[in-house]
Amino acid sequence: MARKYDWRTGSNVEATLSVIGGRWKPVILCNLLVSRLRFGELCRNMPNATQRMITLQLRELEADGVIRRHVYAEVPPRVEYELTEFGRSLEPVLSVMREWGMAFKKRKLSEAVDNAPAS
Amino acid sequence: MARKYDWRTGSNVEATLSVIGGRWKPVILCNLLVSRLRFGELCRNMPNATQRMITLQLRELEADGVIRRHVYAEVPPRVEYELTEFGRSLEPVLSVMREWGMAFKKRKLSEAVDNAPAS
DNA sequence: CAGAATCCTCAGTGATACTG
DNA sequence: CAGTATCACTGAGGATTCTG
């Protein structure tokens, strides 16, 4: 299934994207940055993503050694996900993205206010 | 064309991705981070991307106010692209991605060496 | 609860050729 | 040189249902 990004042929940014470049991967990783989470919690934290998508992205992240999957032999079943050491190395990347996004939102919102009709 | 990412509904990372989340956008931006470039130079720097894709991604970046397009009334035509002030604010994001990608590549390559058959 | 299995769609992407 | 214009595809992503 020829991956979208290939770290061999691409530039350095593309190498990064070969790991975090999935629709929901950055979001998942930001969540796991805060704490280890179970599947259900993850889903509740990402209401815009479908269960299926979250599962798929988790599998890829696991295959890339970014996250680890803990299965507890209980009933009802419990599965938790956490960042690996390698995954934690992504922290600077993720937090700078989050920071910038926050500033961007603020900017956009203040723009909206400026353009708002005087009521 | 309902965009993939929406900064209104998504988390902070998603807000960032609403701007840089295109297949070739980070690559283009990294190039423009170094210097203002003309279209042809950009294409030569990104041999894996098609001309069409580069054009499209440039248009979106321009629409988002990330880059500026300079058209020179010459023959043959000359068009240059450069980051706007706003675009330059992405520098921390892009460089940390590049840094991480570089380290990642090194890691991968040394793994490959370790697994290489003794010749 | 944490998924697996199916089915389906379309938007992102590509290949190619043409042009002011 | 710096793009459009077409045509075509495929696979990422979604909706829904089923299950150990």
Side-chain angles (χ1 to χ4, degrees):
Chain A
M1 63 158 145
R3 282 246 202 153
K4 196 167 173 181
Y5 298 98
D6 181 10
W7 64 270
R8 289 158 216 277
T9 64
S11 60
N12 290 329
V13 229
E14 286 181 271
T16 302
L17 292 170
S18 74
V19 177
I20 63 167
R23 174 66 179 87
W24 300 105
K25 286 181 189 176
V27 187
I28 290 176
L29 293 176
C30 277
N31 272 282
L32 295 182
L33 212 55
V34 179
S35 77
R36 169 204 273 236
L37 288 174
R38 20 192 324 181
F39 184 75
E41 296 175 300
L42 217 41
C43 288
R44 254 170 282 121
N45 291 352
M46 311 171 49
N48 295 333
T50 63
Q51 208 184 32
R52 170 192 153 77
M53 267 307 112
I54 296 175
T55 303
L56 289 177
Q57 303 271 297
L58 283 171
R59 291 290 172 280
E60 289 192 19
L61 288 170
E62 195 188 355
D64 285 338
V66 180
I67 63 174
R68 202 181 349 259
R69 186 165 177 264
H70 299 276
V71 185
Y72 297 86
E74 303 176 356
V75 176
R78 179 157 65 106
V79 177
E80 292 184 358
Y81 293 92
E82 73 170 341
L83 293 179
T84 60
E85 194 60 32
F86 173 56
R88 250 186 299 281
S89 78
L90 279 164
E91 202 247 309
V93 181
L94 296 168
S95 40
V96 77
M97 286 179 72
R98 223 185 15 199
E99 297 292 312
W100 193 91
M102 232 169 83
F104 176 66
K105 274 189 177 177
K106 270 193 195 143
R107 179 194 149 110
K108 278 289 195 183
L109 290 174
S110 71
E111 275 177 16
V113 169
D114 293 346
N115 298 342
S119 59
Chain B
M1 59 153 147
R3 282 247 201 150
K4 194 169 174 180
Y5 298 98
D6 181 11
W7 64 269
R8 290 157 213 276
T9 64
S11 60
N12 290 330
V13 229
E14 285 182 272
T16 302
L17 292 170
S18 75
V19 177
I20 63 168
R23 174 65 178 85
W24 300 105
K25 286 181 188 176
V27 188
I28 291 176
L29 294 176
C30 277
N31 272 283
L32 295 183
L33 213 55
V34 179
S35 76
R36 168 203 272 236
L37 288 173
R38 25 195 316 183
F39 183 74
E41 296 175 300
L42 217 41
C43 288
R44 253 171 281 122
N45 290 353
M46 311 172 48
N48 294 333
T50 62
Q51 207 186 30
R52 172 192 152 77
M53 267 308 112
I54 298 176
T55 303
L56 289 176
Q57 302 272 294
L58 283 171
R59 292 290 174 280
E60 289 192 17
L61 288 171
E62 196 190 352
D64 285 337
V66 179
I67 64 174
R68 200 180 349 258
R69 187 166 177 260
H70 297 275
V71 185
Y72 295 87
E74 301 176 358
V75 176
R78 179 159 64 105
V79 176
E80 293 185 359
Y81 293 92
E82 73 170 341
L83 293 179
T84 59
E85 194 60 31
F86 173 55
R88 249 187 300 282
S89 78
L90 279 164
E91 201 246 311
V93 181
L94 295 168
S95 40
V96 77
M97 287 180 70
R98 224 185 15 201
E99 297 292 312
W100 192 90
M102 231 170 82
F104 175 66
K105 273 189 176 178
K106 270 194 194 141
R107 180 193 149 112
K108 278 289 194 180
L109 289 174
S110 71
E111 275 177 16
V113 169
D114 294 345
N115 297 343
S119 61

